[in-house]
Amino acid sequence: MSAIDRPKGQPPTATYDSAFLKACRREPVPHTPVWFMRQAGRSLPEYLKVREGIPMLESCMRPELVAEITLQPVRRHEVDAAIYFSDIVVPLKAIGVDLDIKPGVGPVVEKPIRTRADLDQLRALTPDDVRYVTEAIGLLTRELGPTPLIGFAGAPFTLASYLVEGGPSRNHEHTKSLMYGDPQLWADLLDRLADITAAFLKVQIEAGASAVQLFDSWVGALAPADYRRSVLPASEKVFRAVEGYGVPRIHFGVGTGELLGLMGEAGADVVGVDWRVPLDEAARRVGQGRALQGNLDPAVLFAPTEVVEEKAQEVLDAAAGLEGHVFNLGHGVLPSMDPDALTRLVEYVHERSAR
């Protein structure tokens, strides 16, 4: 039995035979499943309406609001999976890290981690810290029925980068300085973050998530040797911690073409690919035994419909020989994107890949 077969003795769930989960398990599908990173968000007028006047982190802690936002793109686009609405810093906020998400900037940490004493900010995460997540997922799974819900978390490296830099960074100079200059402190930081991340994913799976995705947004800043030495052990620990649940584990990073094989080694069942590497080449780099997810350039959605369809077909053609393929963008939906373009793209992929 593979890691993503249904555990022995567990009855089939409503989502088990969905196109999305079949693709993740590299089984034949009725059509190529589609979902979009950031499909629940600023591209939707209904999202802007319900979020009006509510700070980002607060919105992530209101179960009814989380459920509504998560469901919006499923209703509008008829995607094959929902992605839980949250933010990668939510578990850090839940354990008491002093941070906020500032509009136009992103997560900002009041006291960056630069010394061993600063690690005291990072205590273990318990289910009680994120009861709102359990409640929201309960609401969602009842509404979604056969549509799978994807839980997610930020990967240890990306969380560490925010914590060490104090916010978003272009060059990651403080992060790399700590990683190179004090490798033991760096390893201890990532190990602690791996435990927090794994605990956060476990809460989501136990509440009813059908799959989980680990976002390593900033890891493309590293060379392969640095990834293998300084990042792989922590990401591997996260994936190993949730392996026994039997749900697909997806790994995605930006600018990670040179890291695809290593990201697969970390333990993912599905490797996400950005738009910089064609899927057939990505498959060669990742190797056998894993499905791929991706990888239309999000900017293509601003082109005329016939161009979008042409580029989408190129993705489908590149994926034609893969055992498992989940159609997605090579990164997230952009805020100014026309929602109707996404709806048309879902229809196109479904129609062109129907078997």
Side-chain angles (χ1 to χ4, degrees), residues 10-229:
Q10 179 177 314
T13 65
T15 65
Y16 185 80
D17 288 324
S18 65
F20 170 73
L21 291 182
K22 280 178 174 287
C24 291
R25 297 194 300 265
R26 296 176 287 117
E27 296 173 0
V29 291
H31 60 263
T32 298
V34 187
W35 72 278
F36 304 115
M37 290 175 279
R38 295 183 187 153
Q39 64 186 17
R42 292 173 291 173
S43 66
L44 300 180
E46 55 265 43
Y47 167 84
L48 297 174
K49 183 177 180 180
V50 298
R51 269 284 321 277
E52 189 172 4
I54 305 175
M56 178 61 184
L57 281 174
E58 183 182 339
S59 71
C60 296
M61 299 174 188
R62 295 188 182 184
E64 293 83 4
L65 183 58
V66 168
E68 168 59 23
I69 293 172
T70 302
L71 288 166
Q72 286 174 348
V74 180
R75 299 189 196 113
R76 179 186 275 263
H77 306 310
E78 297 187 1
V79 286
D80 294 281
I83 176 74
Y84 183 75
F85 175 75
S86 187
D87 189 273
I88 63 171
V89 299
V90 162
L92 300 180
K93 184 72 172 180
I95 62 172
V97 176
D98 189 357
L99 59 81
D100 197 9
I101 299 177
K102 297 190 176 180
V105 178
V108 176
V109 179
E110 181 65 25
K111 186 183 179 185
I113 291 179
R114 305 281 172 80
T115 69
R116 181 161 293 279
D118 295 331
L119 285 181
D120 292 341
Q121 297 181 56
L122 304 179
R123 66 167 175 81
L125 178 86
T126 71
D128 285 343
D129 294 320
V130 286
R131 289 182 180 177
Y132 46 85
V133 173
T134 299
E135 185 177 343
I137 291 179
L139 294 172
L140 278 164
T141 52
R142 287 194 289 274
E143 287 289 326
L144 285 167
T147 301
L149 175 67
I150 305 168
F152 82 91
F157 175 84
T158 291
L159 293 179
S161 181
Y162 277 118
L163 287 168
V164 174
E165 299 292 338
S169 173
R170 182 181 298 273
N171 298 312
H172 307 282
E173 55 265 37
H174 294 295
T175 302
K176 292 184 177 182
S177 175
L178 179 60
M179 184 177 73
Y180 296 135
D182 194 338
Q184 188 57 58
L185 175 57
W186 173 260
D188 293 344
L189 169 60
L190 260 67
D191 189 67
R192 194 168 298 195
L193 289 170
D195 289 337
I196 293 167
T197 298
F200 191 54
L201 291 178
K202 287 178 179 180
V203 167
Q204 295 174 71
I205 297 168
E206 291 176 4
S210 297
V212 290
Q213 175 158 307
L214 194 65
F215 282 87
D216 217 346
S217 307
W218 303 123
V219 79
L222 297 183
D226 291 330
Y227 179 94
R228 180 177 291 281
R229 177 177 56 251

Side-chain angles (χ1 to χ4, degrees), residues 1 5-11:
M1 184 179 75
D5 285 331
R6 187 169 61 249
K8 187 176 181 180
Q10 179 177 314

Side-chain angles (χ1 to χ4, degrees), residues 3 197-203 205 212 236-249 269:
T197 298
F200 191 54
L201 291 178
K202 287 178 179 180
V203 167
I205 297 168
V212 290
E236 188 176 34
K237 185 177 185 181
V238 174
F239 285 124
R240 190 168 58 247
V242 299
E243 181 178 9
Y245 288 99
V247 304
R249 300 158 295 169
D269 304 296

